[in-house]
Amino acid sequence: MNDTRIPLAGVIGSPVAHSRSPLVHGHWLRTYGIAGHYVPLHVEPGQLEEVVRSLPKMGFVGANITIPHKEQIMEIADQVTDRATLIGAANTLIFRPDGSILADNTDGYGFITNLHQAAPDWDPATGPAVVFGAGGASRAVIASLLEAGVPEILLSNRTRERADQFRSEFGSRIQVVDWVQVGNVIEQAALLVNTTSLGMVGKPRLRVPLDGLRSSTVVTDLVYTPLKTDMLQWAEDIGCTTVDGLGMLLHQAVPGFERWFGKRPEVDAATREAALA
Ligand code: ATR
């Protein structure tokens, strides 16, 4: 019997109303004329397993996973990709025809693909990356930078123990720098990445002194509200190539869309516009 059901996908989180994923996937579905739907699903942690197990029976082919479920979903999935295991969290689920659930993490892919697209002259091998923050988002960034061949990562976090933990997990290419000292190593950066929430609307400002920044450094911020953070403005003013955080959000959505709906979508100006609507 042919399955003629329209494929469904969605984003599972709590809260989820602010998520831009429905705008992005909805834009791609319309652009490519695909009969499918992508919906926000507000799910509390206690209901996660029950909801996820019931979705394939309702015609869902997959889902994105966001706060606060990205770690818990690892226990529920039947299979977890190597990159999700390395990062310790998943953001993308594939519901297979046999009923099993595969959990993947596309954040690192999204980060590095966006960086290559937005800063095509950046060569990972040219020098160290300075990374602010050692939280969940940072794990994906660090894993992808190491895989891309960055020789050294100077990692700094307010809570130093979290950065030390990264060094023990990811190895000696990570050098931990005290949060209050990080201004002193900025001049070494071929790439500078902010993975903290500092600079986001409603959060404190990023107060790291950036005086040592060189104009040859590529500077990127995972924060995308606002699109142009103070850090990116500073970097732009001295002539650096800057990369905002929206591109990572868009690129991390690509592998899921392709698996669920059978079309590899383009990340272009129209996609950015759709995400900001
Ligand atoms: P995410 O998954 O978005 O990375 P997270 O795991 O809570 O969220 O990590 C948030 C990051 O922002 C951490 O690096 C955090 O530093 P701590 O590990 O010391 O908490 C950083 N961060 C948040 N608020 C901060 C602040 N006021 N000053 C410095 N760093 C801050």
Side-chain angles (χ1 to χ4, degrees):
M1 193 179 73
N2 282 337
D3 189 346
T4 54
R5 285 183 298 183
I6 288 176
L8 305 174
V11 54
I12 299 172
S14 171
V16 78
H18 68 286
S19 172
R20 296 190 185 265
S21 296
L23 296 171
V24 174
H25 288 274
H27 165 76
W28 284 332
L29 287 168
R30 283 191 304 279
T31 300
Y32 301 113
I34 295 170
H37 294 289
Y38 185 102
V39 292
L41 297 162
H42 188 124
V43 177
E44 298 300 341
Q47 309 166 310
L48 183 64
E49 178 153 19
E50 190 189 337
V51 170
V52 166
R53 288 281 165 207
S54 66
L55 288 176
K57 297 170 204 152
M58 300 192 302
F60 278 76
V61 289
N64 287 122
I65 301 289
T66 188
I67 290 168
H69 305 308
K70 288 172 104 171
E71 285 92 18
Q72 192 193 338
I73 197 65
M74 304 278 281
E75 311 294 322
I76 295 169
D78 300 301
Q79 207 191 335
V80 176
T81 62
D82 289 347
R83 59 188 182 179
T85 303
L86 185 68
I87 295 165
N91 70 340
T92 304
L93 300 182
I94 315 291
F95 302 149
R96 294 195 177 111
D98 68 0
S100 66
I101 296 173
L102 172 68
D104 191 12
N105 192 312
T106 65
D107 284 333
Y109 162 85
F111 172 75
I112 211 83
T113 308
N114 179 49
L115 202 51
H116 283 307
Q117 184 170 311
D121 293 337
W122 175 69
D123 174 359
T126 47
V130 171
V131 177
F132 300 155
S138 178
R139 292 187 80 86
V141 166
I142 299 271
S144 67
L145 288 175
L146 291 174
E147 196 191 349
V150 166
E152 188 181 29
I153 295 176
L154 304 171
L155 174 64
S156 191
N157 194 55
R158 173 181 60 176
T159 311
R160 188 184 162 112
E161 295 72 43
R162 288 181 97 182
D164 290 336
Q165 175 65 28
F166 274 35
R167 182 181 158 89
S168 57
E169 279 179 50
F170 288 106
S172 59
R173 274 197 283 161
I174 311 270
Q175 297 291 331
V176 177
V177 179
D178 255 13
W179 185 237
V180 289
Q181 302 286 339
V182 72
N184 300 337
V185 299
I186 298 284
E187 63 181 353
Q188 296 178 43
L191 174 73
L192 174 63
V193 190
N194 175 41
T195 76
T196 75
S197 50
L198 296 171
M200 193 184 288
V201 170
K203 300 278 168 139
R205 295 175 62 184
L206 178 70
R207 294 187 186 281
V208 173
L210 298 172
D211 310 65
L213 196 59
R214 291 178 289 129
S215 61
S216 57
T217 304
V218 173
V219 180
T220 182
D221 202 326
L222 266 51
V223 169
Y224 60 87
T225 48
L227 273 180
K228 193 173 286 181
T229 59
D230 290 350
M231 182 178 88
L232 292 185
Q233 184 65 63
W234 176 287
E236 193 181 291
D237 288 347
I238 64 161
C240 298
T241 299
T242 61
V243 181
D244 68 45
L246 184 61
M248 173 179 174
L249 176 85
L250 303 178
H251 280 283
Q252 64 78 29
V254 168
F257 188 92
E258 184 177 21
R259 285 291 293 264
W260 306 325
F261 300 116
K263 166 79 191 169
R264 188 164 186 85
E266 283 295 318
V267 174
D268 55 16
T271 320
R272 284 178 67 89
E273 241 171 69
L276 295 171

